[in-house]
Amino acid sequence: MCGRFTLVVSMEELMLRYELDPGNSVPYHRPQYNIAPTQMVLSIIHDGKGLRLGELKWGLVPSWAKDESMGSRMINARSETLLDKPAYRLPFERKRCLIPADGFYEWQRTGSGKQPYRIKLKSSELFSMAGLYDIWVREDGSKVATCTVITTRPNALMEPIHDRMPVILRREDELRWVRRGAEDPKELQQLLIPYPAEDMEAYPVNSTVNSVRNDSSLCIEKSS
C-alpha cells in the first residue's frame, strides 16, 4: 500500500521538473516530510491544453457517493482491479493524475514491532505516483476534489518490507497517463507495474514518522 509519502523539494524545483507554466496560479507549498491520508496533496492533471498543478484531498470520494466518509477508506486503488471496481472504473478511463513525491514510507513487521522505512529513487529525484481523482458535490453545491494512489505488487527491494507498493510511472509515460482523449484502459494498465528495484533504495527511519503530527526533517533521517 502507500499510506505516507514525502515531497521536500521547493515549488521552483517542482515547476521545473514538470515544465509547468509559471504564469498559472499555484498552491502554496513548503517541504512536507510526512504526508498522510485526508490531507491535501499536490497533484497534476491535464486540462486539455497542458499540465496543471493543483491540490486534491487524499482519499477518493466517487461522484456518486452518498457522503464523504468513504474517502478515508479509499486512499489506495489496486492496479489489478481498476476496471472491476465501480469507484475506480470511470476515473481510470477519464480522470487520471500524477502525484509528485520524492519518497514514501512503509512499515516492515519485525519480532519487536514495526520498523518504518523510507523508499526513494537512488538519484533522489522527484517521481510521479499514478493516481485517480474524482469530484464530489455537497448538498450546498460546493465541490470536493479527491484522489487515490494506485498500488501494484512489490519489486525485489520492496518485497521484504511490504506486499504492495505505489505505482511509480516511468518519466516517459507520465504525459500518456494524464493526457485526455481516447486511451484503451487495458493498454494503460500495462503501465501500472513495479518500478525497477535497481533504481531504488530503502533505509530505516526512526519512529518520529509514526505520528502524522510530526512533519519535520527528523522523519527522513536514517535511524542507527
Side-chain angles (χ1 to χ4, degrees):
M1 64 177 293
C2 177
R4 306 276 185 85
F5 66 95
T6 65
L7 186 60
V8 303
V9 300
S10 67
M11 178 59 76
E12 289 75 19
E13 291 174 284
L14 191 67
M15 299 285 285
L16 184 63
R17 163 63 172 78
Y18 292 98
E19 300 180 356
L20 298 169
D21 184 355
N24 293 335
S25 60
V26 296
Y28 170 76
H29 171 67
R30 58 171 179 76
Q32 295 173 283
Y33 298 91
N34 196 5
I35 302 170
T38 74
Q39 294 179 359
M40 300 301 291
V41 299
L42 290 179
S43 308
I44 296 171
I45 66 168
H46 198 288
D47 63 6
K49 296 180 180 179
L51 298 180
R52 183 161 59 88
L53 179 68
E55 287 186 303
L56 299 169
K57 186 177 181 180
W58 188 7
L60 190 81
V61 181
S63 58
W64 44 261
K66 293 183 179 179
D67 58 63
E68 298 177 64
S69 63
M70 67 186 301
S72 60
R73 303 190 302 274
M74 302 181 73
I75 65 170
N76 291 156
R78 296 175 68 93
S79 61
E80 301 89 340
T81 57
L82 293 178
L83 292 172
D84 303 325
K85 304 291 185 180
Y88 304 133
R89 189 183 305 122
L90 189 59
F92 181 35
E93 294 175 354
R94 303 181 185 178
K95 298 176 181 177
R96 301 178 298 273
C97 64
L98 304 175
I99 301 176
D102 46 30
F104 64 93
Y105 298 106
E106 197 51 79
W107 282 256
Q108 181 186 50
R109 293 184 181 276
T110 68
S112 57
K114 291 184 178 181
Q115 171 62 54
Y117 280 82
R118 184 177 183 236
I119 301 95
K120 56 186 279 293
L121 300 187
K122 287 182 177 177
S123 64
S124 296
E125 293 177 324
L126 273 167
F127 56 82
S128 299
M129 297 187 293
L132 306 175
Y133 72 96
D134 210 342
I135 309 296
W136 188 75
V137 182
R138 297 189 178 102
E139 289 185 1
D140 63 5
S142 60
K143 297 179 179 180
V144 182
T146 62
C147 66
T148 188
V149 175
I150 300 174
T151 65
T152 185
R153 65 188 185 278
N155 60 22
L157 175 73
M158 282 297 300
E159 196 167 12
I161 301 173
H162 200 273
D163 62 359
R164 302 293 292 179
M165 67 179 291
V167 170
I168 298 174
L169 294 166
R170 296 183 305 172
R171 191 162 180 170
E172 59 266 33
D173 292 329
E174 291 173 352
L175 185 58
R176 182 184 174 193
W177 176 252
V178 295
R179 189 165 45 208
R180 293 186 176 185
E183 280 278 4
D184 184 344
K186 292 184 178 179
E187 290 188 9
L188 284 176
Q189 214 157 19
Q190 295 176 13
L191 305 181
L192 308 178
I193 58 177
Y195 199 78
E198 59 270 22
D199 295 332
M200 302 180 70
E201 62 182 9
Y203 64 90
V205 295
N206 62 55
S207 59
T208 300
V209 73
N210 291 350
S211 173
V212 298
R213 293 190 296 271
N214 297 326
D215 185 15
S216 74
S217 60
L218 293 175
C219 293
I220 66 172
E221 287 187 3
K222 188 174 183 178
S223 66
S224 55

